[in-house]
């Protein structure tokens, strides 16, 4: 299927490992030029080296250090991406992690930091990117939102509240920007094997006196497909939403979870 991404410019936050790196690699393979950001210099250089080794992509990938929870840096990131490639068509907001903990275990500072990264960060990205996307006649803004925003739980209170706010942001931005041809959507991962989930504690998991590998082998039992997904599964969904084939999808969210999240809407 021809996605119509070739020649376009994509900005991917949190693009130096796991899901973000897989998204950057997938967009490159579709012919896009990609600008990634991360927080750690060594990880950024390693990611850029990997991406630049992807076949014929010389000159098609660049990156910078940025903390998207800082409003000024989100704006700078957009301007650097435009300066590097002369335009901007696709913005993928993937920065942030999972905030685990019950109410009395989380400080206001922790929740605020999580909110700044996952809500105010993409807010500022959208605010600064919108004028550039309008100049191209439209574009794509895609948020990667963890499952807690749809499936709250007592041990994931911080992520549940912040991720739900991300869903509200997607819906509101889609209404605001859709008339300009800027389509805002979300991809919602669950049970994805990545560096983020390497130290994951499964809710209600009990130590059974077995090796870690033995216990992990049963974690896919709650997924109808019987296995965990990969970062590439998320990258495929993002590439579709970024494409011309998704031109009538606006304000929606796509679950990429092997059927794990059992909610009706």
């Amino acid at each position: 299927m021809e996605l119509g991404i070739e020649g376009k410019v994509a900005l991917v936050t949190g693009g130096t490992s796991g899901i973000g790196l897989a998204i950057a690699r997938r967009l490159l393979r579709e012919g896009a030029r990609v600008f990634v950001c991360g927080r750690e210099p060594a990880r950024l250089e390693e990611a850029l080296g990997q991406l630049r080794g992807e076949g014929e992509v010389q000159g098609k990938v660049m990156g910078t250090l940025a903390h998207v929870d800082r409003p000024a840096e989100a704006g700078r990131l957009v301007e650097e991406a435009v300066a590097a490639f002369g335009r901007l068509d696709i913005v993928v907001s993937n920065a942030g992690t999972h905030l685990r903990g019950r109410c009395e275990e989380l400080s206001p500072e922790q929740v605020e930091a999580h909110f700044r990264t996952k809500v105010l960060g993409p807010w500022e990205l959208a605010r600064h990117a919108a004028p550039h996307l309008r100049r191209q006649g439209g574009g794509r803004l895609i948020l990667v939102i963890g499952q807690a925003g749809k499936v709250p739980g007592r041990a994931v209170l911080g992520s549940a509240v912040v991720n739900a706010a991300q869903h509200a942001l997607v819906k509101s931005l889609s209404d605001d920007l859709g008339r300009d041809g800027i389509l805002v959507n979300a991809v919602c991962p669950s049970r994805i094997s990545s560096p983020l989930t390497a130290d994951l504690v499964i809710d209600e998991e009990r130590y059974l006196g077995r090796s870690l590998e033995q216990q992990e082998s049963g974690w896919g039992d709650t997924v109808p497909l019987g296995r965990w997904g990969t970062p590439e599964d998320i990258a495929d969904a993002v590439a579709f939403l970024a494409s011309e084939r998704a031109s009538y999808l606006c304000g929606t969210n796509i679950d990429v979870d092997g059927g794990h999240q059992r909610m009706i809407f």
Side-chain angles (χ1 to χ4, degrees):
M1 180 188 295
E2 175 56 52
L3 297 182
I5 295 176
E6 186 169 1
K8 294 189 175 180
V9 173
L11 166 61
V12 182
T13 68
T16 58
S17 69
I19 288 173
L21 182 58
I23 291 169
R25 183 179 292 116
R26 182 72 167 86
L27 295 176
L28 276 170
R29 289 175 179 173
E30 289 297 328
R33 291 169 288 171
V34 178
F35 196 92
V36 301
C37 81
R39 295 185 177 209
E40 301 176 19
R43 184 173 288 181
L44 175 63
E45 286 306 311
E46 181 181 358
L48 290 174
Q50 290 182 36
L51 294 172
R52 286 167 179 159
E54 287 283 325
E56 299 297 323
V57 300
Q58 286 75 16
K60 291 186 177 181
V61 58
M62 297 184 70
T64 191
L65 295 171
H67 294 250
V68 295
D69 58 328
R70 302 170 185 170
E73 294 208 16
R76 172 182 62 81
L77 179 58
V78 168
E79 296 309 318
E80 286 193 21
V82 173
F85 294 118
R87 60 186 287 166
L88 185 61
D89 304 278
I90 302 160
V91 178
V92 182
S93 177
N94 174 68
T97 185
H98 181 60
L99 182 60
R100 185 177 176 82
R102 299 174 66 182
C103 181
E104 64 270 26
E105 296 169 343
L106 295 174
S107 69
E109 291 77 16
Q110 287 175 295
V111 178
E112 180 183 7
H114 199 56
F115 182 84
R116 295 184 71 83
T117 298
K118 303 191 79 172
V119 178
L120 295 184
W123 182 308
E124 282 296 285
L125 287 173
R127 191 167 71 87
H128 288 275
H132 297 288
L133 299 178
R134 287 192 189 100
R135 261 194 294 277
Q136 302 304 325
R140 303 289 189 268
L141 176 60
I142 302 164
L143 274 67
V144 178
I145 305 176
Q147 71 160 14
K150 292 185 178 182
V151 189
R154 63 186 177 88
V156 291
L157 187 60
S159 279
V161 172
V162 170
N163 292 4
Q166 287 185 291
H167 283 294
L169 179 62
V170 166
K171 278 295 186 183
S172 297
L173 280 176
S174 68
D175 194 28
D176 183 18
L177 302 178
R179 289 165 179 79
D180 296 319
I182 302 170
L183 310 187
V184 186
N185 293 292
V187 172
C188 307
S190 179
R191 295 301 190 262
I192 301 297
S193 180
S194 74
L196 177 62
T197 60
D199 299 316
L200 185 67
V201 176
I202 300 296
D203 290 344
E204 311 302 335
E205 178 75 3
R206 296 180 181 178
Y207 177 63
L208 302 177
R210 303 173 185 168
S211 69
L212 177 62
E213 290 78 11
Q214 285 175 311
Q215 289 201 213
E216 285 180 338
S217 68
W219 287 357
D221 291 345
T222 61
V223 180
L225 292 187
R227 64 174 178 85
W228 279 37
T230 67
E232 287 70 28
D233 291 319
I234 307 302
D236 287 340
V238 169
F240 171 70
L241 285 177
S243 78
E244 296 302 315
R245 308 286 77 80
S247 61
Y248 201 59
L249 290 179
C250 186
T252 193
N253 51 75
I254 297 178
D255 297 323
V256 184
D257 61 359
H260 176 255
Q261 300 175 81
R262 290 166 174 83
M263 61 277 169
I264 297 173
F265 55 85

